[in-house]
Every structure is written in structure tokens, then in C-alpha cells.
Amino acid sequence: MMNKENKSRIDQALSKYNLNVSDADVQAAVRTIITEKVPQNDTQEVKKFLMGSIELTTLKTTDSDVSVMEFTERVNRFDQEYPALPHVATICVYPCFAAIVNDTLEVDGVEIACVSGSFPSSQALIEVKIAETALAIKDGATEIDIVMPVGKFLQGDYEGVADDISELKAVCGDKAMKVILETGCLRNAADIKKASIISMYAGADYIKTSTGKEKISATPEAAYVMCQAIKEYYDETGIQIGFKPAGGINTVMDAITYYTIVKEVLGEKWLTNKWFRLGTSRLANLLLSELEGHDVKFF
């Protein structure tokens, strides 16, 4: 557990950043980006890029070995049937299906992500979270998505939050770990900024908006604040952290909006399918339909 020295390190880390973030200012900045910048990114080139940044996700109660195998085989077929388009970045599943995806996936360059650590609530003993994460990696997961312990954060137990994240990062080792902030459960933009910074200092390789299991998922405002935090963290430490909006990405224009926020706040360095991901399955068919010029239901 973190001692007093470590606790003061979190306070010291937070003190380096502007946490006095106004919701109204964030909303105004996002409105300006959407009005002035989004239309110029509504292009085939951007849509093709977005296709290659999708984390194709199935996190349903009804998932089974058979359904996940079929899900993975569609990614294999896509690579053969649409060779001119980029394949998705990642397949994202529950840990119990990591081995199925690992055994079925034939496409080089597609990562296997598992939601872990008692997704989506993060309400479990740390020993359980560690065991689940270790087993997912053993079975073939190349990336791990965990949920920040939101309850601890809301009660001000920032060292407890950092403890959970850093212990799970130790299990992940060189495997990328995404920390889901569940921004829809946070009270304001200042909370989102603070949660972003704590997560990055504790070991996150990416920060992610949402699980998709709460009433409020990704929003452009949350994305803007998180990207600002990533930029400031990069300026302070030189460490590049990835960004992943997830949940509620229902239209191609939603995806273009997130792309534009990343482009305007973080810049071209983040516009690769390593550093910018989109957690969705719905979007894949929508993008494919627009790119092909007719309705396509492939995934």
C-alpha cells in the first residue's frame, strides 16, 4: 500500500496541473471545435483512418465461445474481402474469451484486449482483479482495460485509486493497460481532469472514457478534458498516453467529432491507430457503408 510519502507524491503531481476547470469553458471550447473544425474532417480519408482505429467490442451477457469465435472470424474475413481498407485495431472481449480469440484470430496487427478487474463496476478485492488480469494475459490478451475504482475516487481516496491502478499495471508489465474513468459517473470537468492525471501517474498507458454500461457514456466534453490532461502530462513528463472514447459512439459524425478533438488538442502525433482508439462495434458497419457507398452489414 502507498505510504505517506507516496500520498504526498500524488498531491505533488496534481499540484502541477490546472484543476480549476470550468464546465462552461469546456462546453464553449467543444462547441467551437464542432462548429469550426469538424466539417473539414468529414472526408473519406478520415473515415478510412477511423476504421483502422476501431476496437471491435462484444461485451454481452449472451456472449459464448461460439459467438466470440464467429465474431473473430469476421475480422479474419474482413481482411480478405476488403484488402484496400485497414483492419480494425483491436478485438475487445471478456477475459474468459481471450483464448478463443487468440486461437481464432489470423490477422497480424490486431490486438486482443480484455476488460478486466471486475468490469464494469471495479468492485472486487484487489486479489481478484490481479488474478483475472493475469489469467487474461496468460490466455493471450495483449491489452487490458480496467475501470478506475470510481467510489474510491469520489470519496477522495486518491492514493487508493492510484494503488489499484499501479498494482494492476505491475501485472500487465509490458502489455498496454487502459484505465476507464467512467466519466458519466464523475461530477464535473475538474473531476475528469483529476482522474485522468491520477490514472496516468499510476501507470495507465491509455485513458478511456466509459464502459458503455452506464446511462452516460463518452461525451465530446469529457474527451476534450481528457485530451487536455494527456497533453499537459506529455508536456510535463515526455510520456505519450493514448486516448480511447467508448460507449455511445452511434454515428460516423460522433467518431469524426472525437477525431477532431484529438487533432485539435493533441495534434498529429496522436492520429495513429496506436494512440487513438474508438471503443465500438456499431460504428464498423456505419463506416464501412459510407466508405463503400451502400448499406453494408458485415460485422
Side-chain angles (χ1 to χ4, degrees):
M1 296 297 289
M2 287 199 171
N3 57 29
K4 288 182 179 178
E5 182 187 353
N6 285 322
K7 179 179 178 181
S8 71
R9 271 192 218 137
I10 294 173
D11 293 335
Q12 287 169 16
L14 290 172
S15 72
K16 296 175 183 177
Y17 299 88
N18 173 26
L19 302 176
N20 187 24
V21 186
S22 157
D23 286 1
D25 288 348
V26 169
Q27 289 162 5
V30 169
R31 274 197 305 271
T32 299
I33 289 173
I34 290 173
T35 304
E36 297 180 4
K37 302 294 184 179
V38 166
Q40 67 198 42
N41 293 320
D42 186 5
T43 67
Q44 292 292 94
E45 184 183 0
V46 168
K47 290 169 190 173
K48 191 179 287 190
F49 167 82
L50 292 169
M51 192 80 205
S53 289
I54 288 176
E55 297 209 348
L56 201 67
T57 302
T58 182
L59 298 171
K60 299 194 293 286
T61 303
T62 53
D63 287 342
S64 67
D65 287 355
V66 171
S67 71
V68 171
M69 184 181 296
E70 290 172 348
F71 187 75
T72 308
E73 284 174 343
R74 283 197 286 276
V75 174
N76 294 339
R77 288 205 314 277
F78 179 86
D79 200 48
Q80 296 159 11
E81 293 184 28
Y82 295 94
L85 294 177
H87 54 64
V88 297
T90 310
I91 295 175
C92 184
V93 295
Y94 283 111
C96 53
F97 299 117
I100 295 287
V101 178
N102 191 43
D103 290 344
T104 308
L105 183 63
E106 297 170 354
V107 184
D108 290 337
V110 176
E111 302 290 346
I112 302 170
C114 284
V115 294
S116 185
S118 196
F119 177 95
S121 70
S122 194
Q123 300 288 18
L125 297 169
I126 189 63
E127 292 86 354
V128 173
K129 296 181 183 183
I130 286 169
E132 184 178 37
T133 302
L135 288 167
I137 291 169
K138 178 186 74 69
D139 282 349
T142 60
E143 298 182 353
I144 294 291
D145 291 26
I146 67 164
V147 182
M148 178 187 80
V150 178
K152 287 182 181 179
F153 177 86
L154 292 174
Q155 74 177 18
D157 181 12
Y158 301 144
E159 61 271 22
V161 171
D163 263 344
D164 264 33
I165 294 169
S166 60
E167 288 194 50
L168 290 171
K169 178 56 188 171
V171 178
C172 292
D174 62 355
K175 303 289 190 291
M177 185 180 76
K178 307 183 199 90
V179 177
I180 304 165
L181 307 186
E182 201 65 286
T183 52
C185 292
L186 302 183
R187 294 162 294 205
N188 48 44
D191 268 0
I192 295 171
K193 182 81 171 281
K194 193 178 292 184
S196 298
I197 292 163
I198 292 169
S199 297
M200 291 186 287
Y201 268 95
D205 298 293
Y206 293 75
I207 51 176
K208 175 178 168 182
T209 58
S210 323
T211 62
K213 304 297 186 183
E214 295 289 335
K215 287 180 182 177
I216 301 173
S217 290
T219 66
E221 290 77 16
Y224 180 83
V225 175
M226 291 169 70
C227 287
Q228 287 280 10
I230 290 170
K231 182 178 188 301
E232 291 178 29
Y233 183 79
Y234 179 73
D235 290 344
E236 177 69 32
T237 67
I239 299 169
Q240 188 169 5
I241 302 294
F243 173 62
K244 179 182 173 182
I249 303 174
N250 297 319
T251 68
V252 171
M253 196 51 68
D254 287 342
I256 292 171
T257 298
Y258 290 118
Y259 171 93
T260 306
I261 290 168
V262 170
K263 183 179 180 181
E264 294 302 314
V265 178
L266 290 170
E268 298 286 341
K269 189 170 183 176
W270 270 263
L271 293 178
T272 74
N273 77 343
K274 176 178 179 181
W275 298 110
F276 175 50
R277 301 280 182 77
L278 293 155
T280 178
S281 286
R282 188 180 295 113
L283 183 64
N285 284 329
L286 296 174
L287 277 170
L288 189 54
S289 297
E290 292 211 8
L291 287 166
E292 292 295 297
H294 59 90
D295 191 36
V296 181
K297 289 187 170 61
F298 185 90
F299 290 104

